[in-house]
Amino acid sequence: MIIDRYLIGEIGKPLLAISAILIIIFVGASTAQFLADANSGMLRIAEVVQLILLRNLISLELMLPIALYLGTVGGLGRLYTDSEVAALYAAGASELRLIWPVLGLSLLCALMVGYLSLVVRPWAYQKSYQIQAEAAVRFDLDKVEAGRFYQSPDASRTIFVDRIDRRTRQLEGVFLTTTTDGKRIQVIYAAKRISSSRQRRQPTDLGVFYRGIAMISTLPASRM
């Protein structure tokens, strides 16, 4: 029907505009977060792009209902303000006749949110965790900057370096903590750390530490 298409168009325009605005805001927030990790060498640019897209897929199930609500309020509000609803009533249209297009859009949105929640969201989380786990294994100590704390994407490693000599690939005043399975904690403090001279380093290769100490502790099991 002409009235249905018209009402859906009036609601769909603000719906699309609000969805675009929410996505842009969320992309900006995610980009700021992941670019900090990319700047420190923890994530590659391709991984940053993938993580931003995955985060947006995860957030769609929350943004779509919000955009539908605001789009419906905005679209119908404009129709009431311009007296177009009064004209429809005068032409014989009932309130129920105006509600059907809104119900149709709501049902479509509910189906999309259900699919996103049951299928897309778990897949996106799994893919996101996989990318962050690979980045954590590849965590490169040679790319950190002096005077800053760094944490690997999966929070398994934290490092602080006092001074850096890029010419000799040497780090001075190194503080490094490594957590395994959330229970076993290794703390290393060394006066000097030199990168491995092998051309093909393993992802877990931390280099050689000099004049330092290492402590290993196991967290006690939590009691119920």
Side-chain angles (χ1 to χ4, degrees):
M1 294 294 292
I2 297 177
I3 296 178
D4 292 340
R5 291 197 298 269
Y6 180 71
L7 292 175
I8 290 175
E10 290 300 315
I11 297 174
K13 292 176 183 177
L15 169 62
L16 294 177
I18 294 171
S19 299
I21 292 173
L22 291 176
I23 290 175
I24 291 173
I25 293 174
F26 197 85
V27 167
S30 301
T31 301
Q33 175 187 353
F34 291 123
L35 281 182
D37 292 335
N39 185 51
S40 62
M42 299 178 187
L43 291 174
R44 297 167 180 167
I45 298 299
E47 292 172 337
V48 170
V49 174
Q50 293 180 52
L51 288 173
I52 291 174
L53 294 177
L54 291 172
R55 284 289 181 88
N56 277 274
L57 285 177
I58 293 171
S59 65
L60 278 179
E61 67 170 308
L62 298 176
M63 292 190 291
L64 280 179
I66 297 174
L68 175 63
Y69 172 75
L70 296 178
T72 302
V73 172
L76 294 181
R78 193 199 69 78
L79 293 178
Y80 273 98
T81 301
D82 295 344
S83 300
E84 294 187 33
V85 174
L88 291 174
Y89 287 157
S94 63
E95 290 187 359
L96 183 61
R97 186 70 182 79
L98 301 180
I99 291 176
W100 277 115
V102 179
L103 290 178
L105 279 177
S106 301
L107 178 60
L108 178 61
C109 180
L111 293 176
M112 293 178 62
V113 169
Y115 180 77
L116 289 170
S117 179
L118 297 177
V119 179
V120 177
R121 183 184 178 93
W123 173 82
Y125 264 122
Q126 180 182 7
K127 188 68 175 178
S128 177
Y129 290 147
Q130 178 183 350
I131 294 174
Q132 291 180 336
E134 292 174 355
V137 173
R138 198 186 57 247
F139 184 49
D140 194 349
L141 298 183
D142 289 329
K143 296 182 179 179
V144 300
E145 299 293 336
R148 293 179 55 186
F149 279 95
Y150 289 91
Q151 190 176 60
S152 61
D154 65 345
S156 64
R157 292 178 182 172
T158 302
I159 184 173
F160 177 86
V161 178
D162 191 24
R163 292 178 301 278
I164 299 177
D165 188 342
R166 297 295 184 188
R167 183 178 58 84
T168 60
R169 302 173 66 186
Q170 176 177 306
L171 310 181
E172 299 179 3
V174 181
F175 173 81
L176 174 68
T177 64
T178 305
T179 305
T180 305
D181 297 330
K183 296 180 180 180
R184 186 171 179 269
I185 300 178
Q186 181 184 45
V187 180
I188 298 176
Y189 177 78
K192 182 171 61 173
R193 177 261 183 193
I194 298 179
S195 177
S196 174
S197 59
R198 289 178 293 176
Q199 294 182 354
R200 292 187 177 181
R201 298 169 51 201
Q202 297 297 320
T204 55
D205 186 8
L206 299 178
V208 181
F209 294 89
Y210 294 91
R211 299 197 306 275
I213 58 174
M215 296 176 289
I216 299 177
S217 176
T218 302
L219 297 177
S222 60
R223 298 180 180 179
M224 299 298 294

